[in-house]
Amino acid sequence: MHHFDVETLKAGRWRNGGGATREIVSWPVGAGEFQWRASVADIDRNGPFSAFPGVDRTFALLSGDGVRLTAPGTFDRTARPEEPLAFSGDLELTAELRGGPCRALNIMARRGRRAARVDRITGPVALPDGHAAVFYVLRGHWRTGTDGRPLAAGQGVWWDEHDTTPGRAATPLSPGAVALWADIAPVA
């Protein structure tokens, strides 16, 4: 398991100046083309949303009032806090902020190679063998794995499908604990 704290991840500005991305992981690490990727984006203003052809995306708002994503004639959805929104990375989207800047978790999976499902969770979960995952704490405290290290809001862990660490699970430690769980499975 690889622990992270979003506030210690290096932020890289977008080419269009509309925000910044903090990469959690791009798998395989160091490869030219990712199979799956997890990051946190800070969106500062309305504008174009980067297209990722051949990639399926899930966008989960961590803070802010909402983001309306549109592609003329094909897509018009509003991402709301803590509700994962899945869409094709092929779309040329425009983002419209609802009430100011926001932060979102982005999970990307290369279509035909990986499939990702992102869920909002409030109780214990365990990941099947052979899957990768990203776990991100929204509220409260959680324990992951067998190391006993508690996680707080803005912290999390990730692992790849080859990780053999025992106890690949998450358990809430406080009332009202909420997290996002991205299960990333290889496609046969």
Side-chain angles (χ1 to χ4, degrees), residues 49-152:
F49 210 67
S50 297
F52 285 87
V55 172
D56 291 321
R57 297 182 69 173
T58 303
F59 182 86
L61 202 60
L62 303 173
S63 65
D65 294 330
V67 178
R68 181 178 178 204
L69 299 173
T70 58
T74 60
F75 191 86
D76 188 343
R77 301 275 306 272
T78 298
R80 303 195 188 292
E82 302 178 14
E83 295 177 7
L85 174 62
F87 56 93
S88 170
D90 298 310
L91 296 171
E92 302 262 346
L93 297 170
T94 299
E96 178 187 336
L97 303 179
R98 304 284 193 189
C102 66
R103 177 173 275 184
L105 176 68
N106 283 295
I107 302 293
M108 296 186 235
R110 182 87 42 206
R111 194 174 303 123
R113 297 183 190 166
R114 299 288 184 277
R117 188 186 81 238
V118 180
D119 293 308
R120 180 185 181 275
I121 61 169
T122 57
V125 293
L127 186 72
D129 287 336
H131 289 213
V134 177
F135 179 81
Y136 184 94
V137 176
L138 294 169
R139 286 191 299 283
H141 291 87
W142 292 77
R143 181 179 322 262
T144 59
T146 56
D147 68 1
R149 182 174 168 186
L151 300 171

Side-chain angles (χ1 to χ4, degrees), residues 9 22-29 34 36-39 133-134 158-159:
L9 298 174
R22 299 167 189 262
E23 187 172 271
I24 296 168
V25 60
S26 182
W27 187 261
V29 175
F34 65 82
W36 62 272
R37 180 177 183 235
S39 63
V134 177
W158 69 268
W159 56 86

